[in-house]
Amino acid sequence: MHQFAHSSHSAASSVEVPVAARRSEEVEGSSCLLCGGALEVSEAGLSDTRFGTPGSYEIHRCVRCGLEQTFPTPSASELKELYETYYNFGGETGTVYTRWRERFLFSFLYRVWAWIDGDVAFHQRRGAGWLLDIGCNEGRGLRLYARNGFEVEGLELNETAAAVARKAGFEVHTCPLEEFRPVKGYDVAVLANVLEHSLDPLKMLQDVHRILEPRGQVWISCPNSQSWLRKRFGASWLNWHVPFHIVHFSPATLCQLLSDAGFAKIELRQITPALWAAQSLLIRLFARKGKKTRQMRNPFLTLLFMAIARLGLFPVLCLGNWRGQGDCLVAIATKA
Ligand SMILES: [Zn+2]
């Protein structure tokens, strides 16, 4: 899913002024991806808390529409190298971990869990028609969408991951979205935690619009920049995920972007997955600048922290969603 961040747009910008003096000041020489408005610093001193890649980042907020962007923005070629070095699918199959994950995903237990915790990847939505999973990785989602009634295809730039999905019998395209010319339009396009990785999210949604049938739907999930967990965890918030997350959406900016790309009938919901809350907590406790946070891949710790988040914070997570401050935005929009 991560490979679809690449595009020709680049907007690197950095001004050497002390951070404290720059807060609430407009940043010169760059502008908002969505509306062209001026930018101000909204967060500073962020680093990669997951893989420990070098570099310090800021989040800049548009003074006009509120869209937030990561700065300095990596160029398309820098991102390609970062993904290939740190992020790529490793081809892990047939291990005890992957077998149990497979059993869980197709079990009744997962349905119950998704009902309680929220379904950030649309794994429980039933329907019919042609569905394209953009950034399908090794095809786990494809298997679930097919089970739920859809005719499925994937788009994935990572050849290793695409090969695994093809081996399981799926049609997977490996060209960039902007060059993708399907023979027939899709009824559904899924962007599950993909859009925030894009250097040009408007272009991405316009391309999705182009490959959909009339009245086709796009299903999007992405982090919510208005999340109460952002305020609680600050620089340790999981969803900064710099430098891989380029754009940080609020409900308003996501709706504006969808509307600019030609979508209507936008249904927006909020979810706070226990896994996301657990991972912010793991980052707060264990992340060290320049080091990979191995604890985020520790199944025991992750399950323990998820249980704490789900059971201990149940009312708080619900209240956050209800107040429009959930951790994840889930949008369904129709091609106008
Ligand atoms: Zn703006």
Side-chain angles (χ1 to χ4, degrees):
M1 69 174 130
H2 335 101
Q3 294 288 307
F4 285 87
H6 313 148
S7 91
S8 57
H9 188 94
S10 171
S13 160
S14 180
V15 185
E16 293 301 322
V17 178
V19 164
R22 297 180 58 208
R23 277 195 183 275
S24 303
E25 272 183 22
E26 292 191 1
V27 181
E28 288 176 17
S30 55
S31 57
C32 172
L33 277 173
L34 187 53
C35 77
L39 302 175
E40 62 179 11
V41 179
S42 55
E43 298 283 339
L46 303 184
S47 57
D48 178 358
T49 51
R50 202 168 307 188
F51 305 113
T53 60
S56 183
Y57 297 86
E58 293 180 346
I59 305 300
H60 294 179
R61 179 195 287 129
C62 172
V63 295
R64 198 190 292 164
C65 76
L67 185 77
E68 292 180 279
Q69 300 167 223
T70 295
F71 277 81
T73 312
S75 67
S77 62
E78 283 165 345
L79 271 179
K80 187 170 189 294
E81 199 178 325
L82 282 165
Y83 280 108
E84 283 171 0
T85 310
Y86 295 97
Y87 219 114
N88 269 359
F89 166 72
E92 183 193 8
T93 50
T95 64
V96 174
Y97 172 74
T98 58
R99 276 200 300 274
W100 276 96
R101 183 177 60 191
E102 203 69 7
R103 273 191 203 173
F104 173 68
L105 285 175
F106 285 87
S107 68
F108 179 68
L109 193 62
Y110 180 46
R111 285 194 195 187
V112 175
W113 175 257
W115 183 74
I116 296 169
D117 197 56
D119 181 17
V120 291
F122 309 99
H123 285 165
Q124 308 300 330
R125 281 183 76 87
R126 293 173 176 279
W130 282 94
L131 179 151
L132 180 74
D133 184 10
I134 299 170
C136 69
N137 217 315
E138 77 274 34
R140 271 206 307 280
L142 291 176
R143 296 185 55 186
L144 288 154
Y145 304 135
R147 181 201 66 183
N148 293 343
F150 297 96
E151 309 258 15
V152 301
E153 290 185 358
L155 194 66
E156 174 57 58
L157 288 182
N158 181 333
E159 289 285 353
T160 316
V164 174
R166 284 188 187 125
K167 210 173 154 195
F170 295 110
E171 173 84 28
V172 179
H173 309 274
T174 44
C175 64
L177 180 61
E178 56 267 32
E179 292 164 21
F180 183 46
R181 299 285 182 276
V183 287
K184 71 185 284 290
Y186 294 93
D187 301 296
V188 177
V190 180
L191 287 170
N193 296 298
V194 168
L195 193 63
E196 66 276 19
H197 291 255
S198 175
L199 285 169
D200 194 344
L202 177 60
K203 176 76 173 70
M204 178 175 258
L205 286 185
Q206 286 168 337
D207 283 316
V208 168
H209 190 274
R210 172 177 56 78
I211 61 167
L212 285 173
E213 284 286 294
R215 306 193 55 72
Q217 287 187 335
V218 61
W219 299 352
I220 296 171
S221 58
C222 66
N224 177 14
S225 66
Q226 304 301 301
S227 168
W228 68 275
L229 290 166
R230 167 205 182 142
K231 290 156 205 155
R232 183 63 58 198
F233 285 100
S236 302
W237 186 43
L238 167 76
N239 287 312
W240 292 128
H241 194 16
V242 293
F244 300 94
H245 282 184
I246 308 295
V247 190
H248 309 274
F249 295 102
S250 65
T253 54
L254 181 61
C255 288
Q256 185 61 52
L257 187 77
L258 278 162
S259 153
D260 290 353
F263 288 93
K265 276 178 65 184
I266 303 163
E267 297 166 35
L268 198 64
R269 286 187 305 119
Q270 316 233 338
I271 292 175
T272 304
L275 176 64
W276 293 20
Q279 287 186 318
S280 283
L281 205 51
L282 286 168
I283 289 169
R284 165 61 65 84
L285 291 176
F286 297 110
R288 299 288 173 270
K289 195 171 162 62
K291 295 251 188 311
K292 182 175 178 176
T293 308
R294 284 176 294 103
Q295 289 83 357
M296 290 175 76
R297 285 285 181 216
N298 179 320
F300 173 73
L301 271 179
T302 303
L303 281 173
L304 177 69
F305 279 54
M306 277 171 77
I308 293 170
R310 191 69 273 169
L311 300 172
L313 297 175
F314 189 77
V316 184
L317 299 188
C318 291
L319 188 66
N321 298 341
W322 180 72
R323 294 178 62 191
Q325 296 174 356
D327 219 25
C328 177
L329 295 173
V330 177
I332 292 178
T334 305
K335 178 171 174 170

